[in-house]
């Protein structure tokens, strides 16, 4: 599979980052969990010509169902 390209934008690039955190007060209230609940935060961005065009964040609090991640190239 080749790069996805649009006229004037060039190739798209995608990045993902996974970090450990705690929910905190606002997130804890949003998901009905204590603020000190540990969580994984997955952030994904897609960029074109060095500029972000799409961003997504996924929050997985401790005790959430297991999630299997498989890298693909």
């Amino acid at each position: 599979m080749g790069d996805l390209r649009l006229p004037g934008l060039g190739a798209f690039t995608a990045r993902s980052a996974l970090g450990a955190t705690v929910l905190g007060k606002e997130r804890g209230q949003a998901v009905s969990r204590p603020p000190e609940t540990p969580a994984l935060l997955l952030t994904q961005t897609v960029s074109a010509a060095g500029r972000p065009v799409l961003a997504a964040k996924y929050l997985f609090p401790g005790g959430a169902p297991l999630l299997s991640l498989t890298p693909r190239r």
Side-chain angles (χ1 to χ4, degrees):
M1 204 169 17
D3 290 337
L4 176 61
R5 295 179 183 272
L6 292 177
L9 292 179
F12 286 86
T13 58
R15 303 237 185 271
S16 295
L18 185 62
T21 187
V22 294
L23 291 180
K25 183 179 177 183
E26 191 172 318
R27 289 181 189 147
Q29 287 177 341
V31 296
S32 302
R33 301 275 184 95
E36 63 277 2
T37 301
L40 291 176
L41 181 62
L42 172 62
T43 304
Q44 296 178 311
T45 56
V46 176
S47 300
R51 294 185 177 177
V53 293
L54 176 70
K57 288 194 174 200
Y58 306 92
L59 183 67
F60 302 98
L66 294 177
L67 176 69
S68 175
L69 301 175
T70 305
R72 297 173 69 182
R73 300 225 182 252

